[in-house]
Amino acid sequence: MGKRTKRLSFWMRRKSHLPVLIIGTLVVMLLFFNEETSVKLNMEYQNRINELQREIKLNEDSAAYYRARREAIELGKADLEQVAREQFHMQRPTEDVFLVRE
């Protein structure tokens, strides 16, 4: 029995890297091929998150512009008149209005 135990011990010391390689391979396969934890899927999600964050920033900038514009209209009569004239293409009797379309 002592000889057999020594052989088994020797074999385990020589092949101890084998279980580590097998477990490592399984972990890598799970990361790349499992649909829920796929690296590709996570990269797609991260790209979508970045895209939405850019859109949020753009909308925040737009909201700040319109908020400032609204406050200017509420505080000044000249600004209100300017906005009304721009929106409804109104003109004074003494001026010419040119519409530029893109």
Side-chain angles (χ1 to χ4, degrees):
M1 186 126 162
K3 197 173 187 182
R4 217 179 218 176
T5 307
K6 282 185 181 180
R7 263 193 211 161
L8 183 62
S9 175
F10 179 71
W11 184 84
M12 286 299 288
R13 279 185 285 156
R14 286 189 69 213
K15 303 293 182 183
S16 64
H17 63 282
L18 191 61
V20 172
L21 287 175
I22 291 171
I23 292 172
T25 303
L26 288 174
V27 168
V28 169
M29 287 177 65
L30 280 174
L31 286 175
F32 282 101
F33 299 114
N34 187 8
E35 279 192 33
E36 294 176 5
T37 60
S38 169
V39 173
K40 179 184 173 191
L41 194 60
N42 284 331
M43 288 174 59
E44 289 174 5
Y45 287 155
Q46 190 61 42
N47 287 339
R48 180 71 175 142
I49 289 170
N50 293 338
E51 184 179 309
L52 290 173
Q53 286 175 343
R54 282 191 296 272
E55 188 175 327
I56 287 170
K57 179 153 177 46
L58 179 68
N59 288 336
E60 285 174 351
D61 293 344
S62 178
Y65 167 77
Y66 286 113
R67 200 172 296 120
R69 182 87 183 224
R70 186 192 72 214
E71 289 173 5
I73 290 171
E74 288 174 353
L75 296 177
K77 184 178 179 187
D79 291 325
L80 178 61
E81 181 184 347
Q82 177 188 355
V83 169
R85 291 174 70 210
E86 287 176 0
Q87 291 289 325
F88 300 110
H89 307 294
M90 299 172 80
Q91 66 184 16
R92 290 190 178 132
T94 59
E95 70 181 4
D96 295 326
V97 175
F98 298 97
L99 297 177
V100 179
R101 300 199 190 256
E102 295 179 17

